[in-house]
Amino acid sequence: MQKPSIPKGMRDFGAKEMARRNYIFNTIKEVYALYGYNQIETPTMENLSTLMGKYGEEGDRLLFKVLNSGDVLKDFSTEELCEKNSLRFASKACEKGLRYDLTVPFARYVVMHREEISFPFRRFQIQPVWRADRPQKGRYREFYQCDADVIGSDSLMNEVELIQIINEVFSRLNISTKILLNNRKILTGIAEVVGEADRIVDITVAIDKLDKIGLEKVSQELIDKGFAQDTVDKLQPLISLSGDNNEKLEQLEELIQTSEIGLKGIEELRYILNYIQKLPMRSELEIDLSLARGLSYYTGAILEVKATDVQMGSITGGGRYDNLTGIFGLPGLSGVGISFGADRIYDVMNELDLFPQEAIVSTQILFVNFGKTEEEYLVSVVARLRGKGIRVEFYPESAKMKKQMSYANNMQIPFVALVGEEEIKHQVINLKNMITGEQKTITEQELMEMFAEK
C-alpha cells in the first residue's frame, strides 16, 4: 500500500510545534492589542476578480486557482480543449482562488463593510495564505501571515507606530533584527533622474535583487532588459550610498534634487527617522535604497526586517499604499500595514534555540493511576486543581509504573503526583520533580499555592 503524503511546501504541525507557534502568535496578538488593533478574519477563497492584477505579473502566476465545481468541461468547445492553453482554460474554469496575502482581502473587506467601520480603521489578521511557489528553506506554499493595517489615515505617525510594534514583538521574542526602510517615491525619483520614469517597475524589480546577486549582476540584468549603459552608470551611485541614515539622505537629496516626488519621499523618511530616534529601540533601523519590495501597490514608505543572527529571508515586511481600496470602488483611502512571517520567525527561533521552556510545556502535573480506589479518590482532586487553572493529566489506566513515568518523560511533564493508599489515608500528595528527581509530600492546598505562582 502506498504511504500517505502531503503536497510539497505544506506541513503537519505536532503538539510541540503548535505550542511554539502559538507562543509566536500570542506574542504578536498581545502587542497588536497594545496599539489598538482589533482582529478580523476573511475567507480562505476569494473571487479571482478580487485577487488578479493586484500583485504584479509574478503574483498572478503564483495564485492557486480553484476549479469550479460541477462539470467544467461542458462550457468548453472542442476547439478550446484542443488548444491546450492552460491560462485560457483557467480563466474560464476557475472563478475563485486561495488568498495570496491578507492585504487585498482586507481592502475588499473595507469596501464591503464601509458603513460599519469607523476610520481610521486598525485591524489585524493571523491566517494562512497560499502561493504556488517553488518550496525551499524558509519558503512554503502554505504559510501564516500576521498582518496589521491602519486605513483611512495619511499620517506618518502610523509608520512610526508600526516600527515600534516590530521592535516590541522581536524584543519579546528575543530576536536581534535589522529594520530596512525605503520609500517608493524615492525609487520613482531615481527613475526620473536617470531618464526612465516610465520604466520604474523594471528598475525596482532589478534593484530589489541587489542584496542577493550584487551590483554587477543587477547592472547586467538592467542592460539585458534594454537599458542603456549610460543609464545604468547613473543608477549605480544612487543605490550604493554609504554612511549613516542621515548621511545617506543628504547624499541622495543632492543626487535627485530635480525630482519633486523623490524629494517628497526623502521628507517622509526624515519624519519617521526623527521620531524613531527619540524612542528606545532594540532593533537597528537602516535606510536601504535597494529595498524595492515586489508588490506593486506600495506608494510610500516600505520596510523589511531581517534577523541578524541567522541566514534567512525577510521575516517581516510592509509599507504604505495610497489607493488600494480604489480598485474596489472606494477611492482616496490611504493605508499602511506590516506582516510578520510566522513560519520564518519560527525557523529563526528554532535555529537559535530561543523558545522558552514554558512555551512547549502543556501539562504541569501528571497523576499516576494506581487502580480503582485511587481513581475514585483522585477524580475530584484533579477537578479541583483544574478549577484553579492548574494543567493536570490523570493517566487513564493503571498501567505499570515504568510505563506511566516514561509517558511523563516523553511528554516533558515537569511534575508527577503519586497518590496511593498511604497518601489517601493522610490526605497528602507525593510530588516528584521530574527534572531534579526530588520528591516531597505536600497537601492539596500547598500544591495549589505552589502552582498558583507559575
Side-chain angles (χ1 to χ4, degrees):
M1 187 197 293
Q2 188 178 358
K3 283 175 69 176
S5 63
I6 55 175
K8 284 182 181 176
M10 312 279 182
R11 293 157 298 161
D12 288 323
F13 298 109
K16 183 177 175 181
E17 291 166 300
M18 280 310 302
R20 290 179 166 187
R21 286 169 66 81
N22 284 332
Y23 174 73
I24 295 170
F25 293 144
N26 292 337
T27 300
I28 293 169
K29 281 181 182 180
E30 285 167 12
V31 177
Y32 281 162
L34 280 178
Y35 286 79
Y37 287 78
N38 296 302
Q39 189 170 15
I40 68 164
E41 288 197 350
T42 58
T44 296
M45 286 190 289
E46 295 276 353
N47 292 323
L48 277 177
S49 57
T50 298
L51 302 174
M52 293 289 284
K54 311 304 187 303
Y55 307 105
E57 193 178 320
E58 186 186 17
D60 284 354
R61 186 174 52 80
L62 297 180
L63 280 168
F64 274 112
K65 299 170 181 68
V66 178
L67 202 63
N68 295 340
S69 54
D71 183 7
V72 294
L73 294 182
K74 67 177 172 41
D75 296 324
F76 287 84
S77 66
T78 306
E79 291 76 17
E80 285 174 319
L81 292 173
C82 289
E83 238 182 1
K84 294 185 178 177
N85 185 319
S86 57
L87 289 175
R88 197 169 298 170
F89 177 84
S91 68
K92 195 168 178 179
C94 306
E95 293 169 0
K96 297 175 287 294
L98 301 183
R99 58 171 174 255
Y100 179 92
D101 75 349
L102 299 177
T103 308
V104 169
F106 169 56
R108 189 266 311 148
Y109 175 93
V110 169
V111 174
M112 285 185 67
H113 298 270
R114 57 189 153 188
E115 301 304 325
E116 309 150 31
I117 290 172
S118 296
F119 293 104
F121 179 48
R122 295 166 181 253
R123 83 79 172 88
F124 77 87
Q125 274 176 269
I126 297 180
Q127 290 185 273
V129 299
W130 293 267
R131 296 183 186 178
D133 214 341
R134 185 170 63 86
Q136 52 188 286
K137 183 185 178 184
R139 190 183 292 271
Y140 306 102
R141 285 176 171 166
E142 178 185 53
F143 56 97
Y144 270 75
Q145 287 186 339
C146 310
D147 281 22
D149 287 78
V150 53
I151 198 161
S153 169
D154 298 324
S155 172
L156 292 169
M157 273 306 298
N158 296 307
E159 278 85 336
V160 172
E161 288 205 339
L162 287 168
I163 290 170
Q164 287 176 265
I165 286 173
I166 291 168
N167 179 68
E168 180 65 25
V169 165
F170 289 121
S171 294
R172 292 187 181 201
L173 296 176
N174 203 26
I175 300 174
S176 297
T177 55
K178 180 184 283 190
I179 303 170
L180 305 175
L181 185 65
N182 197 7
N183 194 299
R184 289 293 289 226
K185 293 183 177 76
I186 291 173
L187 294 168
T188 301
I190 288 171
E192 283 183 1
V193 166
V194 300
E196 296 285 0
D198 57 337
R199 298 194 66 187
I200 176 67
V201 173
D202 286 338
I203 291 173
T204 55
V205 165
I207 68 173
D208 200 28
K209 299 172 186 172
L210 194 64
D211 65 327
K212 301 181 191 77
I213 63 175
L215 186 59
E216 195 178 319
K217 287 185 177 173
V218 166
S219 300
Q220 188 57 52
E221 184 172 314
L222 288 165
I223 287 166
D224 292 344
K225 284 182 175 179
F227 286 89
Q229 183 67 56
D230 180 51
T231 301
V232 175
D233 291 343
K234 284 184 196 169
L235 192 59
Q236 286 185 352
L238 289 162
I239 57 174
S240 308
L241 302 179
S242 58
D244 66 25
N245 290 331
N246 290 317
E247 287 167 347
K248 283 179 183 175
L249 291 183
E250 283 168 15
Q251 293 169 54
L252 186 63
E253 194 166 35
E254 187 68 32
L255 290 166
I256 64 167
Q257 57 184 298
T258 57
S259 170
E260 189 179 334
I261 190 168
L263 293 176
K264 177 68 175 165
I266 292 172
E267 181 190 325
E268 290 180 3
L269 287 192
R270 281 210 171 107
Y271 178 102
I272 295 167
L273 283 176
N274 178 46
Y275 280 98
I276 293 298
Q277 284 163 2
K278 299 176 192 294
L279 299 166
M281 291 280 291
R282 175 174 165 173
S283 295
E284 182 187 347
L285 184 65
E286 181 187 323
I287 301 293
D288 181 0
L289 296 178
S290 73
L291 176 62
R293 291 200 54 79
L295 298 181
S296 57
Y297 52 66
Y298 289 125
T299 54
I302 46 178
L303 62 85
E304 274 189 3
V305 182
K306 300 281 178 73
T308 56
D309 296 332
V310 65
Q311 279 293 108
M312 182 67 69
S314 166
I315 55 175
T316 300
R320 165 76 59 174
Y321 43 90
D322 274 342
N323 193 25
L324 191 61
T325 56
I327 51 178
F328 298 123
L330 186 59
L333 271 187
S334 187
V336 60
I338 56 171
S339 178
F340 289 96
D343 297 274
R344 286 188 177 182
I345 292 170
Y346 180 99
D347 289 346
V348 168
M349 293 186 71
N350 220 25
E351 195 166 326
L352 298 176
D353 196 22
L354 293 177
F355 286 104
Q357 184 63 19
E358 59 267 26
I360 56 173
V361 172
S362 174
T363 300
Q364 293 169 295
I365 311 168
L366 173 73
F367 275 81
V368 167
N369 190 328
F370 287 111
K372 187 164 175 53
T373 302
E374 289 80 4
E375 275 184 2
E376 288 179 353
Y377 173 77
L378 284 174
V379 71
S380 55
V381 174
V382 167
R384 284 194 294 273
L385 291 172
R386 287 173 177 156
K388 293 292 182 182
I390 301 168
R391 301 189 299 277
V392 180
E393 275 188 61
F394 187 17
Y395 202 82
E397 56 254 334
S398 56
K400 288 180 180 176
M401 173 73 90
K402 185 180 176 183
K403 183 177 181 181
Q404 297 191 48
M405 297 302 272
S406 293
Y407 173 80
N409 267 325
N410 293 339
M411 298 303 292
Q412 294 182 288
I413 299 170
F415 290 93
V416 168
L418 302 113
V419 180
E421 254 181 75
E422 281 298 302
E423 285 81 11
I424 293 173
K425 185 177 172 184
H426 295 99
Q427 300 279 291
V428 292
I429 295 163
N430 188 351
L431 189 69
K432 178 173 182 176
N433 185 319
M434 295 296 285
I435 298 163
T436 66
E438 179 195 355
Q439 279 188 230
K440 61 180 178 181
T441 302
I442 59 175
T443 65
E444 183 182 324
Q445 184 58 37
E446 285 171 332
L447 183 66
M448 286 181 179
E449 287 167 7
M450 177 181 167
F451 282 90
E453 298 165 8
K454 291 187 181 297

